[in-house]
């Protein structure tokens, strides 16, 4: 029978579990994540050095490094892959989600139900306010803050640089809370003006 010291030695030699993420995305977005002939899934895996295991029936996605960190796998790539999968799950096209491959680009997801009572009527009303007539409001947010915005289900997802995402977040939250469109447009235009000058880029 092995001594306690031997047992400790065996335990010390055991490898720590490899890091991974488990996510769930809407089932109707699984096909987009996989892509034609698996092209989207393959691109994410190849660019970031990760492995995606996708359950089409449930929408669950396991994201793990293709190589362990001690073998050269990059833990940062795991976070980028997570955000790209989340972005596609929240309605972004793969092309827009792939912006997250770049350093300094982040994803923010706002849950509309954190700000309103989650009834169907409320969600429909708020989504309409955020999209605007012929998509004007969403387009205005995107163009003035240099971000991508996806309104999907009960969430609003934003992709862009940190300060730009913060500006877009504030515009979205103000609109959810009932601020007049005209006031938000003025603030967004002022943000865009200051942003263009360089340097001073205050939150709105």
């Amino acid at each position: 029978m092995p001594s306690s010291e031997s047992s400790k030695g065996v335990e010390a030699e055991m490898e720590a579990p490899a890091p991974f993420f488990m996510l769930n995305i809407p089932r109707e977005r699984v096909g987009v994540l996989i892509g034609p002939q698996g092209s989207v899934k393959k691109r994410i895996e190849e660019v970031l050095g990760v492995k995606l295991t996708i359950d089409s029936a449930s929408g669950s996605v396991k994201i793990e490094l293709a190589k362990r960190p001690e073998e050269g796998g990059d833990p940062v790539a795991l976070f980028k892959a997570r955000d790209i999968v989340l972005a596609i799950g929240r309605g972004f096209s793969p092309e827009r989600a792939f912006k997250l491959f770049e350093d300094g680009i982040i994803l923010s997801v706002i849950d509309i139900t954190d700000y309103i009572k989650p009834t169907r009527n409320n969600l429909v009303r708020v989504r309409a306010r955020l999209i605007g007539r012929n998509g004007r409001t969403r387009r205005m947010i995107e163009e003035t803050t240099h971000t991508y915005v996806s309104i999907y289900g009960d969430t609003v997802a934003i992709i862009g640089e940190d300060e730009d995402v913060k500006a877009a977040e504030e515009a979205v939250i103000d609109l959810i809370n009932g601020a007049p469109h005209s006031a938000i447009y003025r603030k967004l235009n002022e943000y865009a003006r200051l942003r263009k000058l360089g340097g001073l880029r205050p939150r709105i």
Side-chain angles (χ1 to χ4, degrees):
M1 189 171 178
S3 67
S4 59
E5 287 185 6
S6 298
S7 298
K8 286 178 183 176
V10 171
E11 288 174 7
E13 291 171 6
M14 290 176 64
E15 293 184 342
F20 67 92
F21 285 116
M22 286 296 301
L23 306 177
N24 280 289
I25 66 171
R27 283 182 295 176
E28 64 267 23
R29 299 298 296 172
V30 168
V32 182
L33 175 61
I34 295 171
Q37 288 79 52
S39 58
V40 174
K41 174 179 178 288
K42 184 178 180 183
R43 173 103 187 268
I44 296 168
E45 291 178 327
E46 290 181 346
V47 172
L48 295 176
V50 298
K51 177 185 175 185
L52 303 184
T53 305
I54 303 169
D55 185 333
S56 299
S58 67
S60 73
V61 183
K62 183 179 183 181
I63 308 167
E64 53 194 325
L65 291 173
K67 294 181 179 179
R68 298 175 67 88
E70 57 269 25
E71 297 169 347
D74 181 7
V76 172
L78 203 60
F79 287 89
K80 286 191 175 186
R82 176 199 63 183
D83 285 353
I84 290 169
V85 171
L86 280 173
I88 292 173
R90 289 293 91 208
F92 283 112
S93 67
E95 291 73 26
R96 288 192 163 195
F98 288 164
K99 187 76 175 170
L100 290 159
F101 284 138
E102 300 175 20
D103 292 333
I105 302 299
I106 65 171
L107 170 72
S108 172
V109 180
I110 297 169
D111 189 338
I112 296 171
T113 63
D114 286 343
Y115 300 90
I116 63 167
K117 189 175 179 180
T119 65
R120 178 175 175 77
N121 285 344
N122 280 344
L123 288 170
V124 168
R125 175 181 55 80
V126 167
R127 281 198 297 265
R129 281 179 56 78
L130 292 168
I131 294 169
R133 187 183 297 275
N134 298 320
R136 181 190 178 198
T137 302
R138 174 171 52 192
R139 187 166 59 251
M140 178 79 165
I141 295 171
E142 289 184 327
E143 290 176 356
T144 53
T145 63
H146 293 252
T147 59
Y148 295 138
V149 177
S150 174
I151 299 158
Y152 184 88
D154 55 5
T155 63
V156 181
I158 305 165
I159 292 173
E161 294 182 11
D162 183 62
E163 286 302 312
D164 293 334
V165 167
K166 287 176 183 174
E169 282 176 338
E170 291 188 19
V172 166
I173 291 168
D174 283 349
L175 285 166
I176 292 171
N177 287 329
H181 283 83
S182 57
I184 300 303
Y185 293 165
R186 282 196 301 272
K187 288 181 179 181
L188 287 169
N189 282 323
E190 178 64 7
Y191 179 83
R193 185 184 71 81
L194 292 171
R195 186 187 191 282
K196 191 173 182 180
L197 292 174
L200 214 56
R201 286 162 59 178
R203 297 171 68 178
I204 65 168

